[in-house]
Amino acid sequence: RNVKKLSETPHPIKIVLFGSAVVTLSIWTNFADPFNPVKLSLILFMASWLAGYLIIDRKKILHTHEMRHPLLLIIMFLLSLLIATLNSSVRLIAWIGDYQRLNGFLFYASMCIIAISVGLYFKESDLQLFLRVILILGFIISAYGLFQINGLDFVKWDNPYNAIIVTVGNPNFAGAILASIGVLSLGGVFWSFSFSIRSILSIVLFCIILITIILSEARQGLIGLGLGSTFIIGIWLHSKKILVGRLYFLTMSLIGFFAVLGMLQIGPLSKLLYKGSVTVRGYYWRAGIEMFKDNPWFGVGVDNYAGYFRQYKELGYVLNYGYDITSSNAHNVFIQIFSTAGILTGS
């Protein structure tokens, strides 16, 4: 009876896919931060639900050979993050996260539960549903972005940025999530490579996303879409003919090298690719590195980068951007984790 009852419950992958779509689309305009609290709440709810499946299938997890090493790494990460959380001076921020970030221990623990669930339950047969969810989500998000840029947004945002912020609150975040969806939709085309309705819709969605990213002026979104698409096409070419695939990757690597130099204001592509925010990120990175040097074991406190940035920012940052302007994130995942949680978590 128990086996029959379990087979009738919603599949964990459906919870992950539909839950992720809801998290992406969710906003709550009555909050001071209309984006992060509701998204974190839904992520916690989704992770708690999935944890029930993992507890029931705990023996299956332990006996699945492919899951042993990833599970060990995840457990080590969570244990070290828990130690860093308990060692943090401001534990409320360490558990929940900083304002407008909310990347505390609860968030990382939830994402680890979701990662284990996907690794354990996701099968190739789930790709069809995955691509359908991506298509629906992509059309909704990109359409909303086009509404925003044309002044048709149903929410009157107090927004100092480009109008395209979709449901994530920032043009750069919007460009990143649109790029991710665009790459996945293109991957769906090459996965089946047939002129089905879904493939045609995926190509249409890719074009709409490209237009939306260009209008958002989020250069990192455009670069992300280009890199992801290049990788997808390269894999497909390599699967068809190894030599062609290798030549393609070699060519793209050379172009990518000059593109990185251009983003650093070096070389012929600098006028096209360089953006002032790259210089700003350099200040954020160096401040994070100094935080880690002074607090190598447990960092300055989980997600507490903002509390120490004023102390560690360089004089050049103050001269160029003023004393009052600050940052709550290193804008680099690795530096952020090393600087706020220490070497054990970062490693």
Side-chain angles (χ1 to χ4, degrees):
R1 285 201 303 271
N2 290 335
V3 171
K4 185 176 181 181
K5 188 181 292 184
L6 284 175
S7 66
E8 293 172 352
T9 56
H11 195 282
I13 292 302
K14 291 183 180 179
I15 298 172
V16 172
L17 294 179
F18 293 119
S20 300
V22 172
V23 169
T24 303
L25 296 173
S26 62
I27 56 174
W28 195 270
T29 56
N30 291 334
F31 289 167
D33 178 0
F35 305 102
N36 295 289
V38 64
K39 293 182 189 297
L40 177 61
S41 300
L42 291 171
I43 288 172
L44 291 173
F45 177 76
M46 181 167 59
S48 301
W49 195 350
L50 290 169
Y53 285 99
L54 297 180
I55 292 171
I56 292 171
D57 292 336
R58 59 189 180 279
K59 292 183 179 179
K60 179 181 177 181
I61 298 173
L62 296 174
H63 289 90
T64 302
H65 179 71
E66 293 80 2
M67 290 295 297
R68 290 178 183 175
H69 290 98
L71 186 61
L72 180 61
L73 290 173
I74 288 173
I75 291 173
M76 292 173 61
F77 171 78
L78 286 177
L79 286 175
S80 59
L81 185 64
L82 178 61
I83 294 172
T85 299
L86 296 174
N87 193 68
S88 299
S89 57
V90 186
R91 290 188 181 177
L92 181 62
I93 291 178
W95 284 108
I96 300 176
D98 199 8
Y99 177 66
Q100 291 189 332
R101 291 288 177 181
L102 302 185
N103 293 331
F105 178 84
L106 293 177
F107 168 76
Y108 284 110
S110 298
M111 295 304 291
C112 287
I113 291 173
I114 294 170
I116 294 171
S117 300
V118 173
L120 182 65
Y121 296 111
F122 194 87
K123 302 293 185 294
E124 186 177 354
S125 58
D126 296 318
L127 277 172
Q128 293 286 354
L129 178 61
F130 172 72
L131 293 173
R132 290 193 199 107
V133 173
I134 286 295
L135 273 176
I136 296 171
L137 179 62
F139 276 113
I140 294 174
I141 287 286
S142 55
Y144 186 35
L146 293 176
F147 284 165
Q148 288 177 327
I149 199 67
N150 288 288
L152 301 175
D153 197 341
F154 62 90
V155 179
K156 302 302 179 184
W157 301 108
D158 182 13
N159 176 21
Y161 310 111
N162 182 288
I164 298 179
I165 61 173
V166 292
T167 58
V168 290
N170 181 295
N172 286 328
F173 295 164
I177 198 166
L178 285 167
S180 300
I181 294 172
V183 171
L184 291 172
S185 66
L186 184 66
V189 175
F190 283 95
W191 174 62
S192 59
F193 207 73
S194 61
F195 291 99
S196 62
I197 294 177
R198 198 203 66 233
S199 297
I200 295 171
L201 289 175
S202 296
I203 295 172
V204 171
L205 174 61
F206 184 87
C207 295
I208 294 174
I209 284 176
L210 176 61
I211 294 170
T212 308
I213 292 176
I214 292 173
L215 293 175
S216 74
E217 299 177 354
R219 199 166 300 175
Q220 67 184 41
L222 201 58
I223 293 171
L225 184 66
L227 288 175
S229 302
T230 298
F231 187 70
I232 293 293
I233 294 171
I235 291 175
W236 181 78
L237 288 174
H238 192 271
S239 67
K240 296 298 179 182
K241 194 154 184 145
I242 294 177
L243 180 60
V244 174
R246 289 178 177 175
L247 289 174
Y248 174 84
F249 275 118
L250 178 62
T251 304
M252 291 299 106
S253 297
L254 291 173
I255 295 174
F257 174 74
F258 285 106
V260 171
L261 291 179
M263 286 187 282
L264 297 174
Q265 209 174 7
I266 301 171
L269 298 178
S270 58
K271 291 183 178 180
L272 181 64
L273 296 177
Y274 175 74
K275 196 174 180 180
S277 59
V278 175
T279 302
V280 179
R281 279 168 169 74
Y283 287 112
Y284 300 153
W285 298 345
R286 289 190 291 273
I289 291 171
E290 291 303 317
M291 292 179 200
F292 170 67
K293 287 181 179 179
D294 288 349
N295 305 272
W297 292 110
F298 304 111
V300 297
V302 176
D303 208 30
N304 200 24
Y305 181 93
Y308 288 82
F309 179 70
R310 290 183 185 277
Q311 177 182 341
Y312 284 92
K313 64 185 177 183
E314 297 174 356
L315 179 60
Y317 182 87
V318 179
L319 294 174
N320 289 322
Y321 304 103
Y323 180 79
D324 293 329
I325 299 177
T326 185
S327 174
S328 60
N329 193 276
H331 292 79
N332 179 291
V333 174
F334 300 104
I335 295 176
Q336 175 73 11
I337 293 177
F338 272 102
S339 64
T340 59
I343 191 170
L344 295 178
T345 306
S347 300

